[in-house]
């Protein structure tokens, strides 16, 4: 069973010690991935604690979520997050 989070809970995780973001209806913990992100950690910090769906799809395709999503996804968002 997947854990569910509200956007407010995700918003609490927006710094280097705990970095979460929403993509579609998934909640991803990027804390351990931020230093490995090909675009650098700076862009992840900008969207930490927020819904990054629109920005994510602007620069990524489905294969990125297929490759990394399983390792980084910690749950889903309870209510529909607004873009």
């Amino acid at each position: 069973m997947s854990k569910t989070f509200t956007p407010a809970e995700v918003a609490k995780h927006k710094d280097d010690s705990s970095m979460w973001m929403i993509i579609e209806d998934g909640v991803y913990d990027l804390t351990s991935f931020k230093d490995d992100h090909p675009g650098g950690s700076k862009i992840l910090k900008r969207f930490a604690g927020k819904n990054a769906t629109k920005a994510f799809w602007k620069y990524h395709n489905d294969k990125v979520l297929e490759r990394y999503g399983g390792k980084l996804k910690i749950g889903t968002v309870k209510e529909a997050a607004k873009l």
Side-chain angles (χ1 to χ4, degrees):
M1 185 167 109
S2 179
K3 188 162 183 179
T4 57
F5 302 94
T6 65
E9 290 172 315
V10 175
K12 295 176 185 177
H13 301 271
K14 59 183 177 185
D15 58 36
D16 283 336
S17 65
S18 182
M19 187 179 293
W20 295 6
M21 69 178 57
I22 299 167
I23 301 170
E24 296 297 342
D25 67 344
V27 177
Y28 296 86
D29 183 348
L30 303 174
T31 310
S32 63
F33 179 71
K34 67 182 180 295
D35 293 328
D36 297 327
H37 184 256
S41 64
K42 186 176 180 181
I43 190 68
L44 296 180
K45 290 176 187 177
R46 185 182 306 162
F47 289 98
K50 300 177 186 173
N51 186 326
T53 302
K54 189 174 180 179
F56 179 85
W57 291 121
K58 184 176 180 180
Y59 297 102
H60 304 85
N61 60 36
D62 292 340
K63 292 185 191 258
V64 175
L65 278 183
E66 288 173 17
R67 183 173 180 188
Y68 297 103
K71 296 181 244 179
L72 301 173
K73 188 173 183 179
I74 57 171
T76 58
V77 70
K78 261 187 208 175
E79 47 200 65
K82 297 189 178 165
L83 297 178

